[in-house]
Amino acid sequence: MKIHEYQARQLLSDAGIPVPPGQMVETIDAAVAETEKIFASGEGLVVIKAQVHAGGRGKAGFVKLVRSIEEAREAATFMLGNRMVSVQTGPEGIEVKRLLIAAGVDIEKEYYLAVTLDRRHGVNTLIASAEGGVEIETVAHDNPDAIYKVPIHPLSGLEAFQARGLAKRLGFQGRQIQQAATIMQRLASLYSSLDASIVEINPLIVTPPTEQAPDGRVIAIDAKFGFDDNALYRHPELKAMHDPAEENPAEIRAEEFGLSYVALDGTIGCLVNGAGLAMSTMDIVKLHGGEPANFLDVGGSATKESVTEAFRIILGDGRVNGVLVNIFGGIMRCDTIASAIVEAAKEVGFDVPLVVRLEGTEVDAARQILEDAKADIPSMQTAGNLAEAAAAVCDAVA
Ligand code: GDP
Ligand code: MN
């Protein structure tokens, strides 16, 4: 589960990590009112940020610095009225329903800081770079040496000496070192105590020097948190932060029926049992020049109802113009799938080409069911093996 930036900022702030004050709003008028409040408190700069579960907002024009009420109204109107298309969204973009209105800060330098699990070494790891900001993906790709990784001991956590050492290597100066090190340790504790899968601050910034803070201040101005769904039962406070509007409605419905479904951008709907078989089915579709519209694993214990729902979800996607069913019956019986196809055809109707390949438990009974239904489902053809099936469906949609 992911949460919004404004929620992550609250968690950071509760953990003692400095964050500029801000407020989430859902209307243009509320955005203007919050901006007025911040200006009234003596701040000259306000930042307006789209609250969506995707990054790359800055480059997409969905993070705006404003110095007047008029600019604030214009930015809020734009963000709430346009879909955001960034490198992290699909080409169709996502709707923006919430904004964060926060005090803007002057930036001397931007850093990157995150904690996540390093699967290769099997240990939670602090990741940091002095080249933080909107180009961090480019840095990771072109200059991986600029990214530091520090393993976190599972029992003792991130030690003070590790944090200070890293802060120095990153180039923090003077009093910044202790501030940055404290933030690192608190972020590492937060990651463990929340059962997070990632906690990311990008950018962590240093503000320009002032009289009160001659070395500047180290603060977080953006945060992305993700949590381990299997541990959410331990965190009702996090569960309460869930925003269903950010999720693909088809994926939510699939979850209710015990289906593993991930929507993709292609045109060929795939219904498969088993995650591995689903992956290889997608591969072979691509090999034959097609683009899968989804990943869908109906699992080993699928019923007629869940398979019918799976078809409903696939056919509910307007981009789908062909469907490939690839079932290897082990625990799953092929005749269950065959009956579900017939059922779904009655209920939802297949007005796009359907190619079915079945193998395994009760395959003969299944073939008979499909044979008997052929007259009722004219768009259906059966295939003897996977390669043949993939070729047939790619041909049908071409
Ligand atoms: P992201 O693009 O979705 O990661 O959104 P961020 O919140 O990280 O904002 C993108 C960039 O906007 C940051 O890297 C900063 O350079 C800039 N930015 C965001 N907030 C502020 C702010 O308060 N003051 C200044 N000067 N720049 C900001
Ligand atoms: Mn960011």
Side-chain angles (χ1 to χ4, degrees):
M1 186 189 92
K2 293 179 185 172
I3 56 172
H4 287 294
E5 176 196 359
Y6 74 91
Q7 296 164 322
R9 280 177 168 231
Q10 185 63 51
L11 294 171
L12 287 178
S13 171
D14 293 347
I17 295 175
V19 176
Q23 175 66 42
M24 188 274 286
V25 299
E26 292 173 294
T27 64
I28 297 166
D29 287 342
V32 169
E34 281 306 322
T35 306
E36 276 169 349
K37 268 192 221 164
I38 297 174
F39 284 147
S41 75
E43 300 281 349
L45 188 64
V46 166
V47 62
I48 303 195
K49 314 178 76 173
Q51 297 297 287
V52 286
H53 289 185
R57 296 168 303 170
K59 285 189 177 173
F62 284 72
V63 172
K64 288 242 169 78
L65 292 165
V66 301
R67 294 185 179 277
S68 72
I69 298 296
E70 294 69 45
E71 283 179 316
R73 183 178 291 282
E74 196 182 312
T77 307
F78 169 78
M79 289 183 203
L80 291 172
N82 288 281
R83 295 175 77 81
M84 182 185 106
V85 180
S86 84
V87 286
Q88 293 189 15
T89 69
E92 75 283 4
I94 46 179
E95 197 182 346
V96 179
K97 294 192 171 125
R98 301 179 184 190
L99 303 176
L100 170 68
I101 313 296
V105 289
D106 291 327
I107 299 177
E108 184 91 351
K109 182 161 173 52
E110 304 191 27
Y111 296 82
Y112 177 92
L113 193 62
V115 180
T116 192
L117 173 65
D118 178 342
R119 290 185 184 276
R120 190 142 68 101
H121 298 104
V123 68
N124 293 329
T125 301
L126 183 72
I127 303 170
S129 177
E131 321 230 337
V134 296
E135 299 292 347
I136 191 68
E137 280 91 356
T138 319
V139 176
H141 184 263
D142 298 346
N143 190 12
D145 289 345
I147 295 179
Y148 298 104
K149 294 183 183 169
V150 176
I152 300 172
H153 192 281
L155 293 178
S156 47
L158 185 73
E159 304 272 10
F161 77 88
Q162 292 182 293
R164 279 197 305 270
L166 179 60
K168 284 182 201 162
R169 269 191 286 159
L170 288 167
F172 285 102
Q173 303 286 328
R175 270 174 275 194
Q176 297 166 6
I177 295 171
Q178 192 52 50
Q179 293 177 56
T182 304
I183 291 173
M184 289 171 190
Q185 285 188 286
R186 289 180 178 165
L187 190 67
S189 311
L190 201 55
Y191 172 86
S192 307
S193 64
L194 297 178
D195 290 308
S197 50
I198 185 161
V199 290
E200 181 191 82
I201 299 176
N202 186 33
L204 177 74
I205 62 147
V206 174
T207 60
T210 60
E211 222 164 284
Q212 303 95 312
D215 290 340
R217 292 196 310 129
V218 184
I219 56 181
I221 64 166
D222 184 22
K224 286 187 179 60
F225 284 18
F227 302 102
D228 181 347
D229 292 345
N230 294 316
L232 278 177
Y233 74 97
R234 299 205 282 213
H235 304 283
E237 78 290 1
L238 296 177
K239 241 180 169 171
M241 293 182 176
H242 182 232
D243 180 3
E246 289 293 313
E247 248 136 83
N248 183 313
E251 289 178 11
I252 295 177
R253 253 171 58 216
E255 204 181 318
E256 283 165 14
F257 280 82
L259 308 161
S260 304
Y261 172 85
V262 181
L264 300 168
D265 298 330
T267 57
I268 298 175
C270 302
L271 186 145
V272 190
N273 67 321
L277 190 58
M279 296 295 281
S280 42
T281 304
M282 291 160 65
D283 276 346
I284 204 155
V285 163
K286 288 195 86 116
L287 187 67
H288 285 83
E291 286 294 333
N294 65 278
F295 168 97
L296 196 157
D297 168 15
V298 296
S301 55
T303 60
K304 209 190 259 189
E305 288 69 39
S306 66
V307 173
T308 308
E309 183 61 23
F311 280 121
R312 223 179 269 137
I313 290 169
I314 290 177
L315 295 170
D317 177 349
R319 282 172 301 196
V320 168
N321 55 21
V323 176
L324 171 60
V325 175
N326 182 29
I327 299 293
F328 183 78
I331 301 169
M332 182 82 212
R333 294 165 49 136
C334 291
D335 56 338
T336 303
I337 296 284
S339 316
I341 293 172
V342 175
E343 206 55 41
K346 273 191 215 139
E347 234 187 86
V348 282
F350 282 98
D351 46 9
V352 298
L354 166 68
V355 178
V356 184
R357 180 259 175 169
L358 299 167
E359 203 55 74
T361 310
E362 298 297 339
V363 69
D364 294 334
R367 292 212 172 110
Q368 194 56 52
I369 293 169
L370 294 182
E371 196 55 46
D372 295 345
K374 261 190 175 156
D376 296 331
I377 318 174
S379 64
M380 177 173 70
Q381 45 177 312
T382 51
N385 61 51
L386 181 49
E388 202 181 287
V393 76
C394 291
D395 263 2
V397 303

